[in-house]
């Protein structure tokens, strides 16, 4: 309701547990140690994992359906229908972002947002950035947000990784920290970037993708 995403810790399913156990002997004989009791396995874990559509936010899906001219979202033939509350939250978010008007119809901004393969919030960010003359910076930040975590923190070198990250940290926001890292990376000669990433605990693959 505050339009902030959060990751909730929840038990895995029995099907997922069996799949993970199978990986222990995939290439050679192995053992799987489960950190819960057999009773908990059968009584606390559900049999199968909920479909992702029931666990994910729906704003992108709703925007795409609206673009296709499908207005009756509640009765749309989803394979696994999401909860009506989930659809309502997606509609509220899209209205808040200006992609939908108060009647639930797509706006011109909404059509532009639907053309970008991004979450609606990030799409809106890029589209309005020219008004604030910061398009280059915003595109860079969105690129960094759209790849896996760029900071690495190996357990055996956690303190060194934290110290390396601290030199890039911006006091105003994590987004400006990402911008700082990308700008520093771009200033490094191509032949030295791999070593620079290694020395600063930065994921080279994520930086190349960004």
């Amino acid at each position: 309701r505050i339009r902030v995403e959060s990751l909730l810790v929840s038990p895995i399913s029995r099907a997922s547990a069996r799949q993970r156990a199978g990986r222990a002997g995939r290439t050679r004989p192995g053992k799987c140690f489960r950190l819960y009791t057999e009773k908990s396995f059968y009584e606390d874990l559900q049999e199968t994992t909920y479909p992702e559509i029931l666990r994910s936010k729906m704003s992108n899906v709703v925007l795409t359906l609206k673009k296709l001219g499908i207005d009756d979202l509640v009765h749309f033939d989803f394979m696994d229908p999401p909860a009506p509350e989930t659809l309502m939250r997606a509609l509220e978010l899209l209205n808040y972002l200006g992609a939908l008007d108060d009647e639930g119809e797509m706006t011109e901004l909404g059509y532009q947002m639907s053309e970008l393969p991004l979450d609606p919030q990030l799409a809106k960010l890029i589209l309005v950035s020219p008004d604030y003359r910061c398009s280059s910076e915003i595109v860079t930040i969105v690129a960094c947000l759209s790849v896996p975590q760029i900071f690495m923190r190996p357990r055996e070198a956690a303190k060194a990784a934290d110290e390396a990250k601290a030199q890039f940290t911006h006091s105003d926001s994590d987004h400006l920290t990402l911008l700082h890292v990308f700008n520093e990376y771009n200033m490094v000669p191509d032949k030295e970037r791999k070593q620079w990433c290694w020395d600063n605990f930065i994921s080279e693959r994520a930086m190349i993708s960004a």
Side-chain angles (χ1 to χ4, degrees):
R1 298 185 182 281
I2 59 175
R3 301 185 181 90
V4 174
E5 293 183 38
S6 61
L7 296 176
L8 302 178
V9 178
S10 61
I12 62 174
S13 66
R14 293 199 290 273
S16 181
R18 294 188 187 99
Q19 180 192 33
R20 295 178 187 185
R23 293 178 181 175
R26 184 171 58 181
T27 57
R28 65 181 64 183
K31 294 182 179 180
C32 172
F33 295 91
R34 291 182 171 146
L35 304 182
Y36 43 82
T37 63
E38 183 178 7
K39 180 181 179 182
S40 177
F41 178 81
Y42 287 107
E43 294 184 3
D44 298 337
L45 305 186
Q46 59 188 22
E47 179 58 35
T48 58
T49 305
Y50 282 117
E52 187 172 357
I53 195 172
L54 301 181
R55 298 180 279 118
S56 304
K57 62 178 185 178
M58 294 290 294
S59 53
N60 227 332
V61 175
V62 170
L63 189 62
T64 301
L65 291 176
K66 282 287 187 180
K67 179 185 177 182
L68 295 173
I70 300 171
D71 293 321
D72 190 2
L73 301 175
V74 175
H75 297 99
F76 182 74
D77 190 21
F78 289 104
M79 187 174 293
D80 294 291
E85 182 182 2
T86 305
L87 290 175
M88 288 304 299
R89 287 185 179 178
L91 290 169
E92 288 174 3
L93 174 62
L94 293 173
N95 176 253
Y96 177 79
L97 293 173
L100 302 178
D101 59 23
D102 292 339
E103 302 299 322
E105 300 297 326
M106 282 189 73
T107 63
E108 180 59 34
L109 177 62
Y111 280 107
Q112 294 176 11
M113 290 168 59
S114 67
E115 294 293 328
L116 298 177
L118 296 167
D119 282 343
Q121 294 99 316
L122 298 181
K124 170 76 177 287
L125 196 61
I126 288 178
L127 291 172
V128 302
S129 61
D131 298 338
Y132 300 92
R133 299 181 180 180
C134 59
S135 295
S136 177
E137 291 82 358
I138 290 299
V139 168
T140 299
I141 292 172
V142 169
C144 290
L145 290 172
S146 302
V147 299
Q149 176 63 262
I150 66 174
F151 292 107
M152 298 189 297
R153 193 175 187 270
R155 184 175 300 176
E156 65 277 7
K159 183 177 180 180
D162 291 341
E163 291 174 353
K165 182 179 179 180
Q167 65 181 325
F168 300 110
T169 301
H170 196 289
S171 59
D172 289 339
S173 79
D174 291 340
H175 295 136
L176 293 179
T177 297
L178 294 175
L179 180 63
H180 186 195
V181 172
F182 190 88
N183 289 338
E184 290 290 323
Y185 174 80
N186 267 347
M187 292 172 62
V188 177
D190 291 348
K191 293 182 180 180
E192 300 176 14
R193 287 181 176 179
K194 185 179 185 69
Q195 186 62 42
W196 182 87
C197 288
W198 179 266
D199 294 340
N200 292 284
F201 295 90
I202 302 294
S203 170
E204 184 189 18
R205 180 177 300 179
M207 295 305 297
I208 292 173
S209 297

